[in-house]
Amino acid sequence: MSDVVIRPNPDEQRYEAYVDGALAGFAAYRISRGHLVLTHTEVDEAYEGRGVGGALARGALDDIRARGEHDVVALCPFMSAWIADHPDYQDLVAP
């Protein structure tokens, strides 16, 4: 599989994953009370099982960390589980 490119799309309040220029998935969020709330992650059926979700989680969380503006509330079950499995990202989670 080609590399997964993650791009923030603040106008749509989501991070988008692209494979070979095609939108392969997204992680939606909203800003609430100073937190970035991850609400839903979706990977197109054609890209499931190919690491797009993990790349999307890592890319989004790396961007959130680099910006340093918000901590994270993971309401999305996929993002919550991914963060739980990757302790190096748990410092981003809101207390």
Side-chain angles (χ1 to χ4, degrees):
M1 180 170 95
S2 300
D3 290 335
V4 180
V5 176
I6 308 303
R7 296 183 192 141
N9 183 343
D11 292 337
E12 297 290 326
Q13 289 193 318
R14 67 188 200 173
Y15 285 89
E16 298 173 338
Y18 290 87
V19 176
D20 294 331
L23 181 63
F26 66 88
Y29 65 86
R30 69 177 190 271
I31 305 298
S32 178
R33 298 182 180 164
H35 306 295
L36 190 143
V37 182
L38 295 163
T39 58
H40 179 70
T41 303
E42 190 170 313
V43 174
D44 186 281
E45 192 175 285
Y47 298 97
E48 287 181 1
R50 297 169 59 184
V52 172
L56 183 54
R58 184 177 305 279
L61 293 168
D62 285 348
D63 185 69
I64 293 164
R65 176 178 278 141
R67 292 176 189 269
E69 298 170 351
H70 301 98
D71 54 15
V72 171
V73 175
L75 295 182
C76 167
F78 174 81
M79 286 292 197
S80 180
W82 195 92
I83 292 168
D85 288 343
H86 295 84
D88 47 325
Y89 287 93
Q90 291 179 5
D91 64 302
L92 293 173
V93 176

